[in-house]
Amino acid sequence: MLPDYTNCITNIIASIEAHHGLAPLQQTHPVVDALLGEKHYRSIVLLLYDGLSVATLKEALPEDAFLLRHLHTTLSSVYPPTTTAAVTSLKSGLNPIQHGWIGWTMHLPSLDQNVDLFINRLQNDSQFASLDNAGMSLLPYTTFTSRLRAQGIDAVEISSYGDVVTSGRGEMTEAVIARCLSPGAHVIYAYDGNPDALMHEIGAHHPDVMTLVRTLNQEAEAFAQWLPEDALLLITADHGLVDAEYVMLSDYPEILDCMVRPYAVEGRTAAFFIKPGLRDRFKEVFTAALSDRFTLMTTSEFLASGLLGPGVMHPSLPAMLGDFIAIAKGNACLSMKPEYAGLVGVHAGFTEREMQVPLIVAKR
């Protein structure tokens, strides 16, 4: 399933910014525009549950559950549908082609290192990158909340990593409610890392995941009831997950012999850096071995495909993505070797389960 950048999570941010008089960075979303225009909301709350796809909602919940009753429409994630790309898009209002945070692990040419951007550690290593906060240092962006604050609007992120730092969903929702009840107008972005974290550990369909989603449903319903009448609650997600069917590159020495370094980005959308003179050889051996599980394209083809969205390309992207991109078919997922294949649930592929996320609307 291809991303739709006219019906995307970034369009939510464009609508919120346009509603407050800022020039939107993307097309606005007509559904969100209509919601914001129907009455004056003193507080707008955008709550993101990491990994809570439409497919997971429908698998875990009965039709009359709060989150399904209030499912307003289905949105597209960005590509790749992965936390690094999608959350960065949501926070910045930029498409992946513009911000450059394409996946969990990015090759940073100026450091000559593959770095896990969110945690600033070297790929498959406990060591930190050679530059503090390498992602924001080399791929900086402004958040939509900071742009709103610059216009005098009380706009904050409330999360474990936000402007208002909280621990756990209960503390997060209490902080959101308290801010909505305080004087003035507010725009609040709140983030919770589940069910993504649990799905990574035990899989997308595990009974414990279904139980967690039912708990999220109960908590979201109570949260919505506690919000004041002049608050609009929008709930969405960044992506969904599938259970990995691993392909170990250690089983394919002829592929490894062509590579300069481990692949970057993600196991379901992988960037390959090839030794000089071996591009044709790599294409030949990769296609012969793995064309039933991955689509291989040159990085130039990938960047021209529109998969990363419209907008001016970040100048560092071509160098960060190397020579080839392999995109998974079905549930296939690359790993350099078995000891690195620790995640059960994964994302960053083309399936509907990963790409389709909800726009849930609660208002009183």
Side-chain angles (χ1 to χ4, degrees):
M1 178 181 181
L2 297 176
D4 179 357
Y5 288 98
T6 66
N7 180 42
C8 185
I9 55 176
T10 51
N11 304 123
I12 301 175
I13 304 306
S15 290
I16 292 173
E17 291 202 276
H19 179 71
H20 288 90
L22 277 70
L25 303 182
Q26 316 298 337
Q27 293 183 39
T28 64
H29 198 290
V31 170
V32 181
D33 291 342
L35 288 166
L36 294 174
E38 68 185 11
K39 63 176 281 189
H40 172 68
Y41 291 103
R42 192 170 60 84
S43 297
I44 300 168
V45 179
L46 176 61
L47 170 59
L48 186 143
Y49 288 118
D50 199 320
L52 189 62
S53 67
V54 171
T56 294
L57 284 171
K58 292 181 176 179
E59 182 179 359
L61 299 176
E63 291 183 1
D64 63 348
F66 171 81
L67 291 175
L68 288 178
R69 291 200 320 271
H70 291 268
L71 177 60
H72 208 69
T73 192
T74 296
L75 302 174
S76 168
S77 183
V78 300
Y79 192 84
T82 180
T83 302
T84 305
V87 167
T88 301
S89 283
L90 198 78
K91 291 176 65 169
S92 69
L94 299 172
N95 293 321
I97 193 78
Q98 298 169 298
H99 60 62
W101 294 59
I102 306 303
W104 181 255
T105 302
M106 295 301 297
H107 179 67
L108 301 179
S110 63
L111 305 181
D112 194 28
Q113 293 175 329
N114 284 8
V115 177
D116 298 343
L117 295 183
F118 274 9
I119 60 174
N120 204 47
R121 294 184 186 272
L122 300 183
Q123 182 181 29
N124 297 317
D125 199 318
S126 61
Q127 293 185 358
F128 285 102
S130 58
L131 177 66
D132 288 343
N133 201 5
M136 286 302 288
S137 297
L138 299 175
L139 302 168
Y141 61 86
T142 62
T143 63
F144 81 95
T145 49
S146 68
R147 294 192 295 269
L148 290 170
R149 283 199 300 273
Q151 300 298 311
I153 299 160
D154 178 49
V156 294
E157 176 184 347
I158 298 179
S159 71
S160 300
Y161 320 97
D163 306 302
V164 178
V165 177
T166 55
S167 177
R169 284 191 306 277
E171 190 173 314
M172 177 191 71
T173 55
E174 288 176 4
V176 172
I177 293 166
R179 202 162 196 107
C180 289
L181 292 173
S182 67
H186 313 282
V187 176
I188 300 167
Y189 164 60
Y191 169 87
D192 183 70
N194 269 306
D196 176 85
L198 187 60
M199 287 179 168
H200 279 315
E201 181 182 348
I202 61 178
H205 308 280
H206 194 282
D208 288 352
V209 170
M210 301 298 109
T211 299
L212 173 60
V213 174
R214 290 190 287 271
T215 299
L216 294 177
N217 177 73
Q218 294 170 352
E219 293 177 354
E221 183 168 18
F223 174 47
Q225 292 172 349
W226 275 103
L227 288 173
E229 291 186 1
D230 55 2
L232 174 66
L233 173 60
L234 307 174
I235 300 175
T236 192
D238 48 354
H239 59 76
L241 292 87
V242 298
D243 289 349
E245 297 174 2
Y246 277 107
V247 175
M248 304 300 166
L249 285 179
S250 55
D251 293 336
Y252 300 92
E254 66 276 18
I255 294 177
L256 294 177
D257 287 345
C258 298
M259 295 167 56
V260 174
R261 60 179 59 84
Y263 67 83
V265 187
E266 305 259 354
R268 288 176 56 71
T269 296
F272 286 90
F273 299 77
I274 306 306
K275 295 174 182 176
L278 293 183
R279 285 170 54 94
D280 290 343
R281 172 64 177 165
F282 172 81
K283 183 177 181 180
E284 175 187 353
V285 296
F286 188 96
T287 300
L290 297 176
S291 62
D292 60 331
R293 283 168 282 183
F294 293 87
T295 297
L296 187 69
M297 61 179 71
T298 66
T299 295
S300 295
E301 292 169 338
F302 177 70
L303 291 172
S305 69
L307 289 172
L308 301 181
V312 177
M313 183 189 304
H314 194 287
S316 298
L317 259 183
M320 291 195 298
L321 294 179
D323 300 289
F324 290 93
I325 303 291
I327 297 176
K329 299 177 181 179
N331 289 12
C333 187
L334 290 172
S335 180
M336 290 300 295
K337 49 187 176 180
E339 50 264 48
Y340 296 157
L343 301 181
V344 180
V346 292
H347 40 68
F350 268 139
T351 66
E352 286 188 6
R353 190 175 192 93
E354 293 161 284
M355 289 298 304
Q356 291 189 330
V357 297
L359 177 61
I360 295 159
V361 179
K363 51 187 178 175
R364 296 172 61 189

